[in-house]
Amino acid sequence: MPDIPETQFRHFLLERQSAGHSFTTPRRGGSDISFPARNRQQHAARLRQQLSVLQQRAAQILQQRQAAGLATEFGLVLEFASDPGFPLNVDRLESRRSHIQLLNVRKRRVSANGKDLDVTMATVRVPYGQLDRFVRMVEAYQTRNTPKGNPKHQDFIATVAEIRLAALEAFWTEEERPLPRPDDPVTWEAWLHVGEGEDGREQVLRRFHEAAGPVGVQVLDQRIDLPENTIVLVRATRRQLESSLDLLNCLTELHEPQVTAEFFTSMTPVEQKPWVDDAIHRASWPSPDAPAVCLLDTGVNNEHPLLSPACAPADLHSYNPAWGVNDTHPNGHGTPMAGLALMGDLTPVMAGSAPLVLTHRLESVKMLHPSVANDPELYGDITRECMARAELAAPQRKRVFSMQVTSKNTRARGRASSWSAAVDQLSAGAGESPDNQRLVLVSAGNVELQQASEYPSSNETDQVHDPGQAWNAVTVGACTEMVGLDQTRWPDWQPLAPAGGLGPASTTSLVWEDQWPVKPDVVFEGGNMAVHPTDGTVDYKDSLQLLSTNKDFRSRFFVTTGDTSAATAQVARVAAIIQSEYRDFWPETTRALLIHSAEWTPAMLGGRSAGEVPKSQWPWILRKYGFGKPDLTSALRSARSAVTLICQDEIQPFLLEGSEVKTNELRFHSLPWPREVLQQNGMLDAEMRVTLSYFVEPNPGPRQTNDRYRYASCGLRFDVRRATESEPEFRARINREAREQGEQQVSGSADSNEWDLGFNLRHRGSVHTDTWRGTAAQLAEKGHLAVFPVNGWWRMRKHLKRYHSHIRYSLVVTIRTPAQAVDIYTPVAAQIGIPITVNAGGRRC
């Protein structure tokens, strides 16, 4: 074999070779709802009395509205509450047949029996005349038994402590924020329900506008359309909203609108013009049709000589044309991010002498203006408009969206906001033409400088900022290798973060509940901070920061920058290079390769290798560092002893059979596998990494429900043939297990111990990755994989009629042997019928 550089082979993009197999999920058995001990007769009588009062009130309101000629189709809004410490069975509150709608679910912490316990409260809209449904259920609970001898409807009625008419508080879902005072004019984020029929959304929105005017409520123009909600901003007092029954009948939730975070502004000039001239001389600039990084930031001053050849004036846009397109942030932010997105850290670029090969361009949409940075805005709608500006200007261009604008939302704890849901919707291309998915990278957000001295404890409690909880976005945190301080200028100062550790400003998702996705997804170099030798204060120093392009380039060319914004811009650069190299890759595939190529440093793993980490430690590692730091070389290239196979496919998860929505199919993948070579080297160590990436369509809906399939349209899972089973046995097992997992979480796969994360831990969010470790002989038998669906709202929300939808996915598989002399690339190429090609060239930017 010729002497080919170890990492210069192109990855294999396989033709669609998967086989679809149908399966139907069985019905779920049993209920795990707990409830307090009840005196059956007393409890039923108490609820019946509460419902009787509500029926009388409903009759009064109905009569008044009919007499006044007002609409009567919406009905009453009620609040159901549980006992402290017990959940409310919210799944039984909604009835599509009776048009009873669950609007939201909240929790309130109370003191009871010497303990702090949660009370669950659900807001429900009940049409006039439909309260009888709950009356019948209470009566059945009181007088009838199930075949097992339990009270009828016990799993629901016994969880309800109180039923009352809802007040405005029932819509306020900001658990950690008090409801605004009655007469304070504030901006609210109003979530409206979607009415029935094709024109249902517009009818509710029109009703809301009609009810707002007479009571002085101002409805702003921006809106976000989600499957079961329309989100608008309104300017009003609490008293104004409370005064209109029609307004309340349109609502599902009320939120406090998000405001943008402050940007990192410590940027210092460091270099001279001759270095710029030398870099320009060495650069080969991208073509006009090259893929681009589209920065959603404060604008870009593209006249900078290091930016202008790759950032045309026609590619500069603004959310508000009156703002202009230039970077007007006081210390510049978008312009330094542009330099990092195009070339990465400029220090090695300026100091080097190799040719600079630039394969992607820059676009900019000014998303934020300093003078309006703190005004309440519907940032999901702003994000959509900003993306549209770039796409309309260059509709055929491939692009990566890089958004460094975030908000410190301490209430989210992993739950969706209007902004994060909009990012998920835009990523999935929901409601748009097919194949209009987008790759969006979002900054994880930064810990305040005043808290940096508490590193790393402050990072572990300061959660990822909004919209970084978006399932489909690649959320980027910061790590650092920068520990070399200039001791002549800063004697006895010490770097704050260790080499390979978490960046001092990077936020995490350690305080989130386990059900939410792992965030950040990846980390990248974000620079370091320095500790004062005597008083322990922390500050930024140039030698621990990244070098980039300065906004005011006429006075100085360079500025230092860092933190998660800088990390995000650099990962966007990696993604754009992947898109430039593989033009047929979907956004889902580029996202998969970013995750797939990422590795944890020894510092992140406590000095151990990934194979030595106990499973109990992985949740902590993932929610702090994500899946590690992406590596551009492995994202772009295979090696003789490390082969990457890529499949792009789609699946129809569900179908309507009669009146029931069922799971439809799973996909089997038989991969070209170097089986003989692996068997010949059977005692060698080997590993296989698998990454599955897809975009979910979001449906935030009521929060904290027991229906864990509410947010994502559909979930996908992967599993791999075990070394001890035949191909028919594997197919039979996967079909059986896929049916079981279609309804409920499983305890784990039988070979979970051979995987770093294991079946349950790896399957959170909408990108799943794991590494199997064993011998080459075992790996030889693992060339078959399956992808199958689990539940989502496409199935559970049948009335939305999305059960026929398809979902795209990308499957990336890398097999590796540590011994570089073992050539597994050539036999795979021979099976596919692809000649071996080698890429070489200058320094890739």
Side-chain angles (χ1 to χ4, degrees):
M1 182 175 182
D3 185 18
I4 297 174
E6 172 64 15
T7 57
Q8 291 299 300
F9 298 111
R10 289 178 63 84
H11 296 326
F12 294 112
L13 176 59
L14 305 179
E15 298 294 329
R16 294 191 183 182
Q17 298 174 334
S18 66
H21 294 255
S22 63
F23 68 97
T24 303
T25 58
R27 291 191 177 274
R28 201 183 206 169
S31 171
D32 56 359
I33 292 292
S34 62
F35 43 83
R38 299 287 193 193
N39 181 304
R40 178 178 181 179
Q41 298 301 321
Q42 292 179 359
H43 184 59
R46 184 167 57 251
L47 294 183
R48 183 66 186 86
Q49 174 61 28
Q50 293 172 8
L51 287 169
S52 177
V53 172
L54 292 171
Q55 285 179 309
Q56 295 175 23
R57 178 60 177 152
Q60 291 174 352
I61 295 175
L62 179 60
Q63 184 178 15
Q64 292 169 357
R65 295 184 69 82
Q66 288 175 335
L70 299 175
T72 60
E73 70 269 24
F74 282 173
L76 290 183
V77 180
L78 305 181
E79 186 173 60
F80 289 70
S82 73
D83 282 287
F86 291 93
L88 184 67
N89 190 351
V90 297
D91 292 339
R92 299 288 302 277
L93 286 169
E94 190 165 63
S95 172
R96 303 305 305 179
R97 179 178 297 179
S98 301
H99 306 288
I100 297 173
Q101 184 179 12
L102 176 64
L103 302 179
N104 68 68
V105 182
R106 303 153 355 265
K107 287 184 179 180
R108 184 183 69 205
R109 182 58 59 94
V110 299
S111 295
N113 300 322
K115 299 179 180 179
D116 289 336
L117 301 172
D118 284 334
V119 171
T120 305
M121 296 171 293
T123 308
V124 181
R125 185 175 60 83
V126 183
Y128 297 110
Q130 294 302 326
L131 271 172
D132 290 345
R133 178 176 183 272
F134 294 110
V135 172
R136 291 193 297 271
M137 294 177 77
V138 171
E139 291 175 345
Y141 166 80
Q142 186 176 20
T143 61
R144 296 168 56 190
N145 289 339
T146 67
K148 293 184 178 181
N150 296 320
K152 189 78 171 176
H153 303 305
Q154 182 183 36
D155 64 332
F156 168 52
I157 299 299
T159 71
V160 180
E162 185 179 3
I163 310 172
R164 53 186 176 248
L165 198 64
L168 191 71
E169 289 88 343
F171 299 97
W172 184 250
T173 56
E174 303 290 355
E175 296 172 10
E176 300 180 11
R177 298 295 179 94
L179 193 66
R181 292 180 298 184
D183 296 310
D184 287 351
V186 296
T187 302
W188 310 71
E189 189 178 279
W191 292 48
L192 314 182
H193 66 81
V194 174
E196 298 179 5
E198 293 183 1
D199 194 37
R201 183 188 302 275
E202 298 305 322
Q203 286 181 358
V204 173
L205 189 60
R206 186 164 53 250
R207 175 72 57 79
F208 191 77
H209 276 273
E210 291 171 352
V215 295
V217 173
Q218 180 186 7
V219 184
L220 305 186
D221 292 335
Q222 298 165 344
R223 62 185 272 191
I224 297 172
D225 292 342
L226 296 173
E228 294 184 281
N229 291 103
T230 305
I231 305 174
V232 296
L233 290 180
V234 298
R235 185 74 176 170
T237 67
R238 171 181 161 186
R239 198 180 304 276
Q240 286 173 316
L241 292 177
E242 290 173 328
S243 68
S244 172
L245 181 62
D246 283 340
L247 285 177
L248 296 184
N249 262 314
C250 295
L251 293 174
T252 64
E253 301 180 35
L254 284 171
H255 298 255
E256 182 180 68
Q258 302 304 306
V259 295
T260 57
E262 292 298 320
F263 291 111
F264 168 66
T265 58
S266 177
M267 302 179 183
T268 307
V270 291
E271 299 296 349
Q272 304 172 355
K273 186 177 183 300
W275 292 3
V276 174
D277 295 337
D278 177 67
I280 294 172
H281 178 73
R282 290 185 281 120
S284 59
W285 299 97
S287 63
D289 63 344
V293 172
C294 183
L295 294 159
L296 306 182
D297 211 299
T298 62
V300 171
N301 294 347
N302 73 319
E303 299 94 339
H304 195 296
L306 289 175
L307 301 178
S308 58
C311 188
D315 293 327
L316 302 179
H317 313 282
S318 181
Y319 169 71
N320 185 340
W323 294 350
V325 297
N326 288 339
D327 186 358
T328 56
H329 190 274
N331 295 296
H333 192 268
T335 305
M337 296 306 107
L340 295 175
L342 183 64
M343 296 185 178
D345 183 10
L346 291 185
T347 299
V349 174
M350 294 298 106
S353 59
L356 306 178
V357 182
L358 294 153
T359 59
H360 65 280
R361 302 187 62 79
L362 293 176
E363 298 174 336
S364 168
V365 185
K366 189 170 182 175
M367 186 177 182
L368 190 69
H369 191 283
S371 65
V372 296
N374 293 320
D375 288 348
E377 298 285 355
L378 198 57
Y379 281 103
D381 185 67
I382 291 174
T383 303
R384 176 179 58 81
E385 290 292 336
C386 288
M387 290 181 177
R389 300 282 195 274
E391 291 174 336
L392 288 172
Q396 303 304 316
R397 180 181 292 157
K398 287 182 174 290
R399 57 180 54 83
V400 177
F401 289 99
S402 181
M403 185 164 62
Q404 290 73 228
V405 179
T406 63
S407 173
K408 187 174 183 179
N409 183 355
T410 61
R411 296 98 65 200
R413 296 189 181 274
R415 292 171 295 187
S417 68
S418 62
W419 196 358
S420 69
V423 170
D424 279 333
Q425 193 175 51
L426 289 162
S427 298
E432 303 179 42
S433 58
D435 303 327
N436 201 31
Q437 291 76 10
R438 300 172 179 89
L439 181 59
V440 184
L441 279 73
V442 178
S443 167
N446 300 326
V447 174
E448 297 291 342
L449 179 60
Q450 300 91 310
Q451 299 175 267
S453 59
E454 302 173 23
Y455 172 91
S457 61
S458 57
N459 307 74
E460 295 168 358
T461 57
D462 199 344
Q463 61 180 300
V464 167
H465 294 182
D466 195 19
Q469 70 270 38
W471 289 41
N472 297 334
V474 178
T475 304
V476 183
C479 62
T480 189
E481 295 287 349
M482 295 183 169
V483 294
L485 267 169
D486 184 353
Q487 290 294 319
T488 61
R489 294 191 62 192
W490 310 107
D492 299 324
W493 284 66
Q494 296 297 319
L496 177 60
L502 189 72
S506 193
T507 56
T508 66
S509 62
L510 287 167
V511 299
W512 290 3
E513 296 177 357
D514 289 342
Q515 71 195 76
W516 303 115
V518 169
K519 295 291 178 177
D521 296 274
V522 295
V523 291
F524 213 79
E525 181 62 68
N528 206 340
M529 298 181 193
V531 182
H532 193 282
T534 57
D535 62 16
T537 57
V538 173
D539 202 357
Y540 294 97
K541 301 301 176 187
D542 284 354
S543 56
L544 298 179
Q545 294 288 282
L546 297 104
L547 190 69
S548 192
T549 46
N550 184 34
K551 177 189 86 165
D552 299 320
F553 62 91
R554 290 182 176 86
S555 60
R556 52 190 187 274
F557 287 101
F558 303 115
V559 69
T560 53
T561 187
D563 297 344
T564 59
S565 289
T568 304
Q570 292 174 96
V571 176
R573 167 184 169 267
V574 173
I577 292 173
I578 295 171
Q579 287 192 336
S580 301
E581 187 72 17
Y582 298 98
R583 296 293 182 98
D584 293 331
F585 280 5
W586 296 342
E588 297 96 323
T589 310
T590 302
R591 176 207 194 196
L593 280 170
L594 289 174
I595 306 296
H596 192 81
S597 69
E599 297 286 349
W600 299 281
T601 65
M604 297 175 188
L605 302 181
R608 298 165 294 198
S609 67
E612 298 170 335
V613 174
K615 278 192 166 46
S616 61
Q617 294 294 311
W618 278 117
W620 184 86
I621 292 170
L622 293 175
R623 292 202 175 276
K624 194 169 183 178
Y625 308 106
F627 296 102
K629 182 180 179 181
D631 178 73
L632 178 58
T633 299
S634 60
L636 288 178
R637 293 285 179 264
S638 291
R640 283 180 294 201
S641 59
V643 179
T644 296
L645 306 168
I646 299 169
C647 307
Q648 298 183 143
D649 211 335
E650 68 175 26
I651 188 171
Q652 182 182 337
F654 313 114
L655 81 166
L656 183 65
E657 190 173 288
S659 61
E660 185 178 356
V661 181
K662 298 183 177 181
T663 45
N664 178 40
E665 64 174 341
L666 58 85
R667 309 292 294 181
F668 282 108
H669 293 267
S670 297
L671 302 178
W673 213 245
R675 189 167 183 267
E676 293 184 3
V677 174
L678 292 171
Q679 288 177 330
Q680 293 167 5
N681 295 274
M683 298 308 295
L684 290 178
D685 290 337
E687 63 183 53
M688 171 176 59
R689 184 164 185 174
V690 181
T691 300
L692 175 65
S693 172
Y694 56 99
F695 291 156
V696 301
E697 182 180 355
N699 184 18
R703 295 186 174 194
Q704 301 283 354
T705 70
N706 293 332
D707 181 0
R708 55 192 170 88
Y709 312 111
R710 178 76 181 200
Y711 184 78
S713 50
C714 168
L716 297 182
R717 302 289 183 262
F718 72 81
D719 209 342
V720 181
R721 176 182 168 185
R722 299 168 189 162
T724 57
E725 64 187 352
S726 66
E727 182 179 345
E729 289 172 335
F730 168 65
R731 291 176 181 269
R733 172 176 65 83
I734 290 300
N735 205 306
R736 180 181 68 253
E737 293 184 359
R739 285 188 281 113
E740 294 169 356
Q741 293 152 12
E743 285 289 355
Q744 54 196 0
Q745 184 79 347
V746 296
S747 58
S749 185
D751 63 347
S752 278
N753 288 335
E754 300 172 4
W755 294 83
D756 285 350
L757 305 184
F759 190 87
N760 287 334
L761 183 56
R762 72 182 178 225
H763 285 140
R764 292 176 182 168
S766 63
V767 61
H768 315 303
T769 188
D770 205 353
T771 299
W772 172 92
R773 303 178 194 276
T775 66
Q778 293 171 318
L779 182 59
E781 308 303 323
K782 300 180 77 67
H784 298 85
L785 291 86
V787 175
F788 54 91
V790 295
N791 274 342
W793 66 262
W794 279 355
R795 179 184 184 186
M796 307 302 290
R797 312 296 289 172
K798 184 177 73 171
H799 65 284
L800 296 177
K801 298 182 180 180
R802 296 302 305 275
Y803 38 74
H804 59 277
S805 300
H806 290 72
I807 187 170
R808 304 195 318 186
Y809 67 86
S810 298
L811 187 66
V812 181
V813 180
T814 295
I815 55 176
R816 180 183 292 109
T817 60
Q820 295 185 5
V822 178
D823 178 13
I824 57 177
Y825 188 94
T826 301
V828 172
Q831 290 185 53
I832 300 174
I834 296 177
I836 297 176
T837 59
V838 179
N839 282 59
R843 184 186 188 281
R844 186 185 299 274
C845 284

